[in-house]
Amino acid sequence: MCGAAADGGELLAAAFESAIASRSPRLGRAAHARALRLLTPALPPFICAHLVNLYSKLDLPAAAAAALASDPHPTVVSFTAFISGAAQHARPLPALSAFAGMLRLGLRPNDFTFPSAFKAAASAPPRSTIGPQIHSLSLRFGYLPDDAFVSCAALDMYFKTGRLMLARRLFDEMPNRNVVAWNAVMTNAVLDGRPLETIEAYFGLREADGLPNVVSVCAFFNACAGAMYLSLGEQFHGFVVKCGFQMDVSVLNSLVDFYGKCRCAGKARVVFDGMRVRNSVSWCSMIAAYAQNGAEEEALALYLGARSSGEKPTEFMVSCALTTCAGLLGLDLGRALHAVAVRSCIDENIFVASALVDMYGKCGGVEDAEQIFFEISQKNLVTWNAMIGGYAHIGDARNALLVFDDMIRSGGTSPNYITLVNVITACSRGGFTKEGYELFETMRERFGIEPRIEHYACVVDLLARAGMEEQAYEVIQGMSMRPSISVWGALLGACKMHGKTELGRIAAEKLFELDPQDSGNHVLLSNMFASAGRWAEATDIRREMKNIGIKKDPGCSWVTWKNVVHVFRARDTKHEMHDEIQALLSKLRKQMQAAGYMPDTQYALYDLEEEEKESEVFQHSEKLALAFGLICIPPCVPIRIMKNLRICVDCHRAFKFISGIVGRDIIVRDNNRFHHFKQFECSCGDYW
DNA sequence: CTAGGGTTAG
C-alpha cells in the first residue's frame, strides 16, 4: 500500500513537472485527475503541495487557492509554492496575504519562502512598509546578509520600491556578492534611468572577479541603448560573441533593441535575421526598432510577417504596431488594430490603451481618443501625456488645460517634461498665450521641471505666433543653451506669418548655418520677401538655393480610400480621375467666389499674371486630393487629407468655404498639425 | 514538493 503510493507519487511528480514545463492547464488537470484516481481515499500531504505548486505555476489562481485550502495540513512548502507562483505571475496581493496567513498558522517561512515574498513586496507602492517588515522578519529568523538568495531578493525589493539608501547599505553589507546581487544593481539602475551606473556596476562585477551571465549582458546592452552608447555597445557585442552568449534569445533581443535605439535599424535587422530562434519579444523589438527610426512601412511589413508566422497579437505586439500607425497617420490601420486588441481582450491593458489614445490623437480622431481615455481607470503619465498631446494636435488649448488640471488634481501622477511640452504646444496653437507663458515661467518651481530646449521652442512659438516676435527673440537671447533648429524655425515661421521681415532674416540665417541643406527654410524666407513685395531678395534666395544645389521638397497630399493611397502633386494630371477632379474644382471655384472667396495668390510664382496665379493655386496638391475625396468618399464620412508640407494659405481659406458649401467635414493633417474644417470654419481658428 | 537577477510597447 505504502509502496504503491510511492510509485504512484513518482509518476505523478513527473506528470506535474511536465504540465508545468509545457505550461499546459490541460495536462495539469489530467495529472490532477490521475492523482485522484490512483490515491484513494485521501491525497497524501506531499501530493497536496504538488497540486498547489502545479496550479500556482500554471497561473490558475482559483485552482491554486482551492488546492491550498483542501490541504488538511498545509506545510511551509505548500505555502511557498503558492506564494512563489503568485509572485512570478504578478499577483503580489494574494502572495502577500498567503504569507501573512502562514504566519498566523504559526508556520515559519524558510529560505525558499523569503525570496518569493520579497518578489511580491517589490511591486508594493514606494511608501509601503511591507517590504522592510518582511526584511526585519527574515533577520529575526536568522537569515543574515550572507544568505545570497534571501538578501538578493531583499536588495531587489529595496531598489524596486525606491529605497535606494537601504538597498545600497544592504549591498555593502553583503559579504559575498554573487552575480545576482550585481545584476540587481545593474537592472534597477537601467529601470530608473541611470544607465551610467549600470555600466559602472558591470565593471565592479569584473573587478570583483565575478563572471557576467546572460542577465548582466542584457542589462549592459539596455544601458547602452538608454544612453545611446553606440560604440561601447558595439565593442561589447564583440565580447559577447566571443564568450558564446550570442546563442541566447534574450541577449539577441536586447541587441536588436540596442541597435534600434542607437538609430541603427539596419544593424538591428542584421542581428534579427541571424537569429536561429525567435520569440515574440524578438519580433516586437525589431518592429519597434523600425518604428522608432521612421521606417514605418518596414515596421508594418514585419508586424504582418510576425502575424503570418503565427505570432499572437500580444499587448506588446499591438502597442508596437499602434505606434507605427501613429507615425504613419494610418487611421484605418489603427482602427483595425483597435479591433484586434478588443478581440484579443488586451484593449484595457494600460500600454495598449495609451497607445490607442496616442494613435487616435495623432491620426486625427480626438473624439475616439477621448472616449478611450475617459474609460481608462488607472491612468498613468503616458496616458495623460497622450491625451494632452491629442488636444495639442488639433490646437484645443481649453481641453488640454482642463485635462492637465485633472491630472494635477488627481494627485496620482506628476507631470514630466513631455507633459509641459504638450500643454504649452496646445496653448500656443490655441492662442492661450498668457496661460502658456505662465506655465513656462513657473514650471521649475511648480513641478520641479527644468526647461529643456523643447520648451524653449514651444514658448518661442507661443509668443511669436501671437505677434510678440520681439519678446520671443529676447527669450532666445536669454537661453543658457544653444538654440536649436526648432527654436529658430518657430521664430521664422511667425515672422513670415506677421511680415516681420528683418527678424525673420536673422532667424533664417541662423537656420541656414544649422541646417544648410534644408529647403523649407529657404522657401519660407523667399516667400516672406515675396509677400513683402521684395521680389529681388526673394529671387536672390531662390538663386542661392540653385547655386548650392538645394531642391525644394516636392509637396504632395494623399487620401486613403478603400485601402488605396491616392497621392497628388501640384499640377498633377496623371490621376485616373483627372477630368472629374478638374470639373469639380472649377465648379467649386464659381460657388466659392459667389460666397465671397478671394484667392490668396501672394506666394504663387511671382512672374505670373494675376489670373494665372489664381489658376496656379487651384492646382495645389491638397485641392486635387480634396476634389478626389469629394467625388469618391460618401457624404457621411469625413474626408481626411495628409500633406507632407504645411497647408498653403489659399488652400486653408478655400477649404473653409468648401466645407460650408458642400456641408462636409474635411480634416487635413499637414506636417505640423491638424485642421478640421466644418461649416466655413477651421478648428485652428486661422491661428497656425 | 518550495527560491533571487532578464529581453519587447504607450
Side-chain angles (χ1 to χ4, degrees):
Chain A
M1 189 61 194
C2 204
D7 288 350
E10 260 171 46
L11 262 173
L12 285 168
F16 290 145
E17 208 173 283
S18 83
I20 294 171
S22 53
R23 282 177 297 186
S24 157
R26 194 182 54 79
L27 287 181
R29 292 193 200 283
H32 187 175
R34 194 198 288 181
L36 290 174
R37 251 185 288 120
L38 264 148
L39 305 166
T40 47
L43 295 176
F46 76 98
I47 291 293
C48 289
H50 260 303
L51 280 174
V52 175
N53 188 43
L54 171 78
Y55 287 124
S56 203
K57 291 288 185 309
L58 287 175
D59 199 17
L60 300 167
L68 187 61
S70 70
D71 189 341
H73 303 289
T75 61
V76 61
V77 174
S78 321
F79 272 103
T80 303
F82 183 90
I83 295 165
S84 125
Q88 278 170 22
H89 290 105
R91 285 183 279 107
L93 291 178
L96 292 171
S97 70
F99 185 77
M102 72 183 281
L103 292 175
R104 272 198 304 276
L105 287 176
L107 288 169
R108 202 186 147 103
N110 65 13
D111 51 343
F112 280 66
T113 320
F114 278 113
S116 292
F118 283 130
K119 193 185 175 74
S123 51
R127 296 266 134 249
S128 162
T129 57
I130 186 75
Q133 283 180 55
I134 297 174
H135 188 214
S136 65
L137 195 68
S138 74
L139 293 173
R140 231 189 308 149
F141 285 156
Y143 296 106
L144 296 173
D146 60 352
D147 186 310
F149 270 101
V150 174
S151 46
C152 284
L155 178 66
D156 189 58
M157 177 276 295
Y158 281 130
F159 275 127
K160 294 225 158 58
T161 52
R163 297 173 186 268
L164 299 192
M165 301 286 280
L166 288 170
R168 182 51 62 188
R169 200 162 78 200
L170 183 60
F171 183 76
D172 291 339
E173 282 170 4
M174 287 170 72
N176 33 9
R177 291 172 205 125
N178 63 8
V179 64
V180 178
W182 286 103
N183 287 347
V185 176
M186 290 180 72
T187 56
N188 284 295
V190 180
L191 287 175
D192 295 348
R194 297 186 307 270
L196 209 60
E197 249 174 64
T198 303
I199 289 158
E200 281 167 7
Y202 176 80
F203 290 113
L205 165 74
R206 298 306 311 252
E207 274 163 37
D209 289 326
L211 281 177
N213 65 10
V214 168
V215 177
S216 338
V217 169
C218 289
F220 195 99
F221 282 128
N222 246 324
C224 292
M228 298 257 273
Y229 289 145
L230 176 61
S231 68
L232 181 65
E234 280 185 314
Q235 285 175 50
F236 199 65
H237 184 178
F239 165 76
V240 156
V241 170
K242 261 188 270 167
C243 298
F245 283 121
Q246 88 286 12
M247 298 302 291
D248 186 275
V249 199
S250 297
V251 166
L252 292 171
N253 289 345
S254 61
L255 254 174
V256 170
D257 179 59
F258 155 71
Y259 280 121
K261 295 244 163 62
C262 290
R263 326 249 73 141
C264 302
K267 289 182 182 174
R269 185 62 194 247
V270 172
V271 175
F272 179 81
D273 284 338
M275 292 175 75
R276 307 183 66 187
V277 181
R278 294 188 191 115
N279 60 18
S280 85
V281 178
S282 326
W283 290 97
C284 291
S285 307
M286 194 60 232
I287 293 168
Y290 278 137
Q292 289 159 0
N293 288 289
E296 283 87 4
E297 266 103 12
E298 286 85 346
L300 222 49
L302 209 62
Y303 169 76
L304 296 174
R307 290 306 310 278
S308 60
S309 68
E311 288 295 334
K312 292 265 165 304
T314 60
E315 298 97 309
F316 279 100
M317 194 70 86
V318 171
S319 49
C320 282
L322 280 169
T323 318
T324 308
C325 291
L328 265 182
L329 311 180
L331 183 61
D332 297 333
L333 214 62
R335 283 218 177 93
L337 280 164
H338 188 179
V340 168
V342 172
R343 272 203 301 276
S344 315
C345 301
I346 53 170
D347 58 314
E348 291 186 16
N349 170 279
I350 189 65
F351 276 91
V352 174
S354 303
L356 281 167
V357 173
D358 183 59
M359 181 277 295
Y360 279 122
K362 286 191 178 136
C363 298
V366 222
E367 294 87 358
D368 298 275
E370 274 173 339
Q371 203 180 338
I372 295 166
F373 176 78
F374 288 117
E375 279 174 15
I376 301 174
S377 50
Q378 300 278 331
K379 302 177 179 72
N380 66 17
L381 178 61
V382 181
T383 323
W384 292 104
N385 286 353
M387 190 66 245
I388 298 171
Y391 288 128
H393 272 291
I394 55 160
D396 186 345
R398 209 177 54 83
N399 273 315
L401 285 168
L402 282 175
V403 169
F404 179 62
D405 251 22
D406 282 349
M407 175 184 185
I408 306 287
R409 273 190 288 112
S410 77
T413 338
S414 356
N416 70 350
Y417 81 97
I418 296 173
T419 321
L420 268 297
V421 168
N422 288 351
V423 184
I424 301 173
T425 304
C427 289
S428 166
R429 292 178 177 166
F432 280 45
T433 313
K434 190 171 138 282
E435 290 81 353
Y437 190 68
E438 246 172 51
L439 268 170
F440 172 76
E441 291 253 272
T442 57
M443 58 190 269
R444 187 185 285 125
E445 58 175 291
R446 274 183 74 194
F447 309 112
I449 301 167
E450 231 17 70
R452 296 196 193 185
I453 195 89
E454 294 97 318
H455 301 108
Y456 281 105
C458 289
V459 84
V460 166
D461 188 57
L462 173 102
L463 293 172
R465 214 181 257 278
M468 296 185 259
E469 284 85 352
E470 287 75 17
Q471 278 108 309
Y473 189 46
E474 278 168 32
V475 169
I476 296 178
Q477 287 170 315
M479 283 172 68
S480 55
M481 58 203 98
R482 189 168 172 226
S484 63
I485 291 176
S486 346
V487 173
W488 290 117
L491 185 63
L492 174 60
C495 287
K496 192 213 135 191
M497 183 171 22
H498 298 123
K500 307 254 170 109
T501 323
E502 289 321 309
L503 200 50
R505 184 207 285 272
I506 295 175
E509 270 157 16
K510 295 285 183 187
L511 283 163
F512 297 164
E513 274 171 41
L514 288 168
D515 190 2
Q517 287 305 309
D518 185 279
S519 63
N521 299 325
H522 286 84
V523 173
L524 217 56
L525 186 65
S526 158
N527 284 348
M528 188 168 71
F529 284 128
S531 55
R534 292 161 68 169
W535 305 111
E537 283 147 302
T539 319
D540 280 350
I541 308 279
R542 297 281 180 167
R543 191 179 305 127
E544 195 189 318
M545 281 176 73
K546 215 178 228 167
N547 289 344
I548 18 180
I550 303 171
K551 283 210 180 64
K552 185 177 176 291
D553 289 339
C556 65
S557 302
W558 61 99
V559 174
T560 308
W561 177 239
K562 290 193 174 169
N563 291 322
V564 179
V565 182
H566 297 261
V567 185
F568 298 87
R569 296 244 183 115
R571 292 173 296 281
D572 217 330
T573 55
K574 286 188 285 295
H575 195 271
E576 55 188 26
M577 296 178 61
H578 176 69
D579 294 342
E580 286 113 303
I581 289 171
Q582 292 304 322
L584 179 60
L585 281 176
S586 57
K587 182 177 150 205
L588 284 171
R589 189 167 165 181
K590 291 194 192 85
Q591 289 175 306
M592 283 157 62
Q593 277 163 342
Y597 158 82
M598 293 281 287
D600 186 325
T601 55
Q602 58 175 328
Y603 306 119
L605 297 174
Y606 27 84
D607 43 5
L608 296 177
E609 294 298 319
E610 198 58 33
E611 202 174 314
E612 288 175 88
K613 283 185 181 179
E614 289 189 28
S615 309
E616 167 79 16
V617 297
F618 262 81
Q619 297 303 320
H620 282 176
S621 66
E622 50 268 58
K623 290 204 187 77
L624 300 177
L626 174 62
F628 169 79
L630 286 169
I631 294 166
C632 293
I633 299 173
C636 50
V637 182
I639 299 168
R640 295 171 188 276
I641 299 167
M642 313 287 178
K643 190 182 179 194
N644 66 337
L645 305 175
R646 273 198 190 212
I647 185 172
C648 106
V649 178
D650 179 67
C651 290
H652 192 271
R653 186 182 290 180
F655 279 23
K656 286 194 290 181
F657 278 97
I658 296 173
S659 71
I661 290 167
V662 301
R664 303 273 307 245
D665 280 24
I666 305 164
I667 298 161
V668 178
R669 158 81 205 213
D670 65 8
N671 64 348
N672 190 39
R673 59 165 291 159
F674 278 103
H675 298 267
H676 191 147
F677 300 91
K678 193 176 189 166
Q679 282 305 315
F680 297 98
E681 284 184 11
C682 177
S683 61
C684 74
D686 299 333
Y687 196 81
W688 47 284

